Amino acid sequence: MSIIRPLTEMQKHLAILNSSDRLRALRSTSLLDSETEERFDRLTRLVARSLGVAVSLVSLVEDDRQFFKSEFGLPEPWKTARETPLTHSFCQYVVSSEQALEVSDATTHPLVRDNRAIDDLGVRAYLGLPLRGPGGHVLGSLCAIDDTPREWSDEDRQILADFVALVETQINVSWARNLAENERIWRDILDTTPQMVWSATPDGSPDYYNEQWYAFTGIPHGATDGDGWTDVFHPDDRERSLSRWRQSWLSGEPYEIEYRLRHRSGEYRWTLGRGVPQRDETGQIKRWFGTLTDIHDLKLAEEQRDLVTRELAHRIKNIFALVASLVSLSGRASPDNAEFARELSGRIVALARAHDCVSPGTLGDRPNDPQSLRRLLETLIEPHRDHAGTQIAVVGDDAVVGHQTATGVALIVHELATNAVKYGALSPRGGSIAVDCRDLGNRFAITWREDCAAPATDAPNEMGFGSVLIERAAKAQLGASITREWGTRGLTLSIEIPDAQLAQ
Amino acid sequence: MRTVLVVEDEAIIALDLACSIEQLGYRVLGPASNGADAQRIARTERPDLLLMDVSIQGSTDGIDTARLITDEFPAYVVFLTAHSDEATRRRAENVRPKAFLAKPCTARQMQSVLAAAFA
């Protein structure tokens, strides 16, 4: 007949056995599955002799087994196996109750009378006391076992308690050794990591640097105590770096910044600093951890690349200007072609503006800013804003555009604006234009909607070159669909560009 | 008649600018292709406005040339820019220009900028 324990008792029993904190403490001793050691074996031997029992164990209880760090008197195959499943464990109840377990005759004891250790290990009498380890967690039991029923005396209990103190001392020695070894391993890892590693207290004060930091800066250990760590910052970067760090440790946001750090050679080298907070279970920051990476060569290469890119963009723009001037001068020299030259020159200017917009280093721009469609449209429309009484608004969503798309959009917007000057809302009749941008999921729609102050002229019977150019640019260059409608208030034209094309 | 000193080291562009500005009814001085020529013309002709390319030949660029001239006598400044970075832009702002005009530009843009500068 099996023992029926209240479910809550069983749950409590399992909760303690399976407690992650307890298991972590147990594993932190590095005693599980370790070799036998005389410092423990001596104690189990003495327990057996002192109490006159057949068996004594230092049993460490995991969530699914008990491991015998030391045993005296166990029969085979358990002696060699040095472990049993929990079906054969009395010690698990010492762990879950965190108290002594005393059994005079296991065959009649309500807690263990069905335990398989009775038949398989020959256990009849059992006296076990809790073994506590790091953090006060009960890791297992020091027990005395006899193969015949036995009443345990006060002296038995006292002797076993004295040995418990000795075994716990040995467990703590193992834990401390393991801790020191782990710390040494971690320090080795940190010191050989090809990055500078640091940590800081919650108030932002650095309290650790790895060897790479000292090797890089060339400053002696301890010289960065207090505020000394800021001495190696480039004077031009110090305030910005400290301000960014202050902002992070006040807000708890991850920290990332590029700044120059003084190398042991005296040269200031660009580094990338990163830091993240470690929080406790309540969300409070316990510590900051971070790295510093030498990105100097990469930074110089980036600067060189940006310089070349800007120079190239400058030269391309100058070529646009030169070609536009040649066309303009040609128009002046041949009055019959003046209108043609003016229109061509306008198209070249629009292309130049599109180039300017999507090239790095544009005025007021940072080299790595994404190229914005809205900004491109604003730039293309800007020259037409000075028509008295004309309102032009760009509204809606934005998108990142590449060179090819920018060129196509520039041609289309230029032709639309030119047509509007001749026939539509930018003509002397006045009116307004709304350029509406919408992200439709897998397509992006740009709608040019004119609202003329007076009824618009009729729709043209045939397409002029400007309209042909719009059609070609939209379909062939942008892969877009295009719809146009002549209403009583003017032209509404919509193009829908596939998303995949936008960044081309 | 208002006078405009054109400083642009690309001869074709300079000629086109000069033609456009004359058509708008201003008297063109120069064009000068470098800072030294620009200063020499400016000292003798005292232009009302400097239409100055930021990047010009010689050791003194358009921004420094404009600063040197306006240190000697007052003149409006309009910078012509092809493509320059933010640092250049900030440096140019110190000369307190009336406008920045992106190259290439249309005649109508030139007309608007000069009219606004002289307004």
Side-chain angles (χ1 to χ4, degrees), chain A residues 424-482:
Chain A
L426 299 181
S427 70
R429 290 177 298 128
S432 63
I433 297 173
V435 184
D436 187 32
C437 304
R438 287 282 168 251
D439 187 348
L440 303 178
N442 58 350
R443 290 161 297 129
F444 199 95
I446 304 172
T447 303
W448 172 282
R449 188 174 292 110
E450 294 187 32
D451 186 3
C452 298
T457 57
D458 292 338
N461 290 328
E462 57 185 47
M463 290 175 81
F465 178 67
S467 299
V468 172
L469 206 56
I470 290 174
E471 198 85 6
R472 287 287 174 87
K475 290 181 178 171
Q477 191 160 350
L478 302 179
S481 61
I482 180 167

Side-chain angles (χ1 to χ4, degrees), chain A residues 99-122:
Chain A
Q99 290 178 353
L101 175 63
E102 189 175 321
V103 177
S104 302
D105 184 349
T107 59
T108 60
H109 193 283
L111 185 62
V112 295
R113 64 186 174 195
D114 290 326
N115 195 289
R116 292 175 60 185
I118 297 171
D119 292 335
D120 292 350
L121 279 79

Side-chain angles (χ1 to χ4, degrees), chain A residues 317 328 332 353 356 361 386, chain B residues 16 20 83-84 103 109 112:
Chain A
K317 194 75 184 296
S328 176
R332 284 196 186 91
R353 283 184 163 262
D356 213 14
D386 57 346
Chain B
D16 181 36
S20 295
H83 195 95
S84 54
K103 288 196 299 185
Q109 286 172 273
S112 300

Side-chain angles (χ1 to χ4, degrees), chain A residues 310 313-314 317-318 321-322 324-326 328-329 332 349 352-353 356 359-363 365 383-384 386-387, chain B residues 8 10 12-13 15-17 19-20 23 55 81-86 89 100 102-106 108-109 112:
Chain A
R310 275 199 296 272
H314 179 86
K317 194 75 184 296
N318 248 340
L322 184 62
S325 289
L326 277 173
S328 176
L329 288 169
R332 284 196 186 91
V349 170
R353 283 184 163 262
D356 213 14
S359 297
T362 309
L363 281 177
D365 203 8
H384 304 286
D386 57 346
H387 282 269
Chain B
E8 162 64 62
E10 187 65 61
I12 302 291
I13 298 172
L15 181 59
D16 181 36
L17 289 171
C19 291
S20 295
Q23 275 189 345
S55 305
T81 59
H83 195 95
S84 54
D85 55 32
E86 195 172 2
R89 169 84 176 216
F100 288 90
K103 288 196 299 185
C105 64
T106 61
R108 202 162 58 73
Q109 286 172 273
S112 300

